Amino acid sequence: MVYKIDPQADRQYIEEFRRCPIGRHSPGLQRVLHIMRQDPSGNQVILFCRKPFEEWVLATMPPDRRDPIVYEGEPVFTSREEAEWEIFRRRWRLLTGESINLPYRD
């Protein structure tokens, strides 16, 4: 069985992740995150810590892991949680075609 994200049914997990991007998650959110972490193209958006506990940027691992990782210069995140939220938003858009237009914190 191939699991997919159902944008209608799984939308409920967006706010759960936004409230707590790191830590324990409900079984439903765990399922969604598991799906998100398996990009069918082989590319994988990852988080890279430039300065420990201070700066994070996003990067893309290529399908052939022998190829270099491509780092994004911007944006630079000052919290890991905010960076995780951006990865979640990008993966959601990739897998559902829908954009999440919510900031990490209101």
Side-chain angles (χ1 to χ4, degrees):
M1 171 183 263
V2 176
Y3 294 103
K4 293 186 178 182
I5 294 175
D6 177 343
Q8 296 293 352
D10 293 331
R11 188 170 286 118
Q12 65 183 313
Y13 302 115
I14 293 172
E15 188 59 30
E16 179 185 345
F17 186 84
R18 188 167 83 126
R19 280 192 322 268
C20 183
I22 300 169
R24 291 182 182 236
H25 299 116
S26 69
L29 179 55
Q30 288 178 24
R31 177 185 51 80
V32 168
L33 294 173
H34 180 74
I35 294 165
M36 288 182 156
R37 292 176 179 140
Q38 299 178 34
D39 189 322
S41 72
N43 290 301
Q44 189 66 40
V45 176
I46 61 170
L47 187 55
F48 177 75
C49 183
R50 280 194 339 191
K51 291 183 182 175
F53 308 104
E54 290 182 32
E55 289 184 2
W56 293 262
V57 294
L58 303 185
T60 303
M61 283 194 318
D64 185 340
R65 300 301 194 234
R66 295 172 294 186
D67 291 340
I69 293 173
V70 178
Y71 297 93
E72 296 180 14
E74 296 289 330
V76 175
F77 299 96
T78 57
S79 83
R80 179 177 165 204
E81 293 81 3
E82 186 177 14
E84 295 281 0
W85 174 241
E86 180 60 23
I87 290 173
F88 183 93
R89 290 170 16 120
R90 289 184 187 197
R91 290 176 177 170
W92 182 272
R93 184 175 57 240
L94 175 72
L95 295 169
T96 69
E98 296 181 354
S99 294
I100 300 172
N101 296 319
L102 294 170
Y104 172 58
R105 293 284 184 233
D106 292 324

